[in-house]
Amino acid sequence: QHVDVQNFSGSWGSGLAFCALLHSFFPDAFDFAALEPKARRENFALAFATAEERAGCAPLLEVDDMVRLPVPDAKCVYTYVQELYRCLVAKGLVKTKKR
């Protein structure tokens, strides 16, 4: 709910896309249904803390940087999602094809 990812910029502006992604891997980490789209700072903080604690994802993005602009920088979001994917693969939570 409240998440429609169409790109790597505006779709990630409320922090809910990060939360939804992490909640899909760690459903016991937090109550996604209780999150509010307007609580951007809290959403980003929750997502980044969960990614670091549960997936071992390096804190590549700062909450302050994400809330400073209404639309996050696409390259920053893409880089973070790549790092999260790498961490999830390393933990065995994402299956990849063997070549």
Side-chain angles (χ1 to χ4, degrees):
Q1 188 174 3
H2 303 293
V3 176
D4 181 24
V5 176
Q6 300 293 320
N7 54 48
F8 281 103
S9 56
S11 295
W12 300 80
S14 70
L16 287 180
F18 286 110
C19 289
L21 180 59
L22 286 156
H23 190 261
S24 70
F25 288 97
F26 309 105
D28 63 325
F30 53 87
D31 181 7
F32 182 79
L35 302 179
E36 294 292 329
K38 292 186 185 223
R40 295 177 67 219
R41 178 175 296 282
E42 293 79 6
N43 296 339
F44 286 119
L46 177 62
F48 298 159
T50 302
E52 187 172 7
E53 293 165 12
R54 300 282 182 112
C57 187
L60 300 178
L61 298 177
E62 295 287 332
V63 173
D64 287 340
D65 292 339
M66 296 303 289
V67 297
R68 186 174 320 138
L69 299 172
V71 177
D73 179 83
K75 290 178 185 174
C76 291
V77 172
Y78 183 76
T79 300
Y80 188 85
V81 171
Q82 280 187 307
E83 176 62 11
L84 179 58
Y85 174 78
R86 188 193 66 73
C87 292
L88 293 169
V89 167
K91 289 203 166 282
L93 297 171
V94 174
K95 304 275 188 245
T96 59
K97 290 183 179 179
K98 298 201 182 219
R99 295 181 180 184

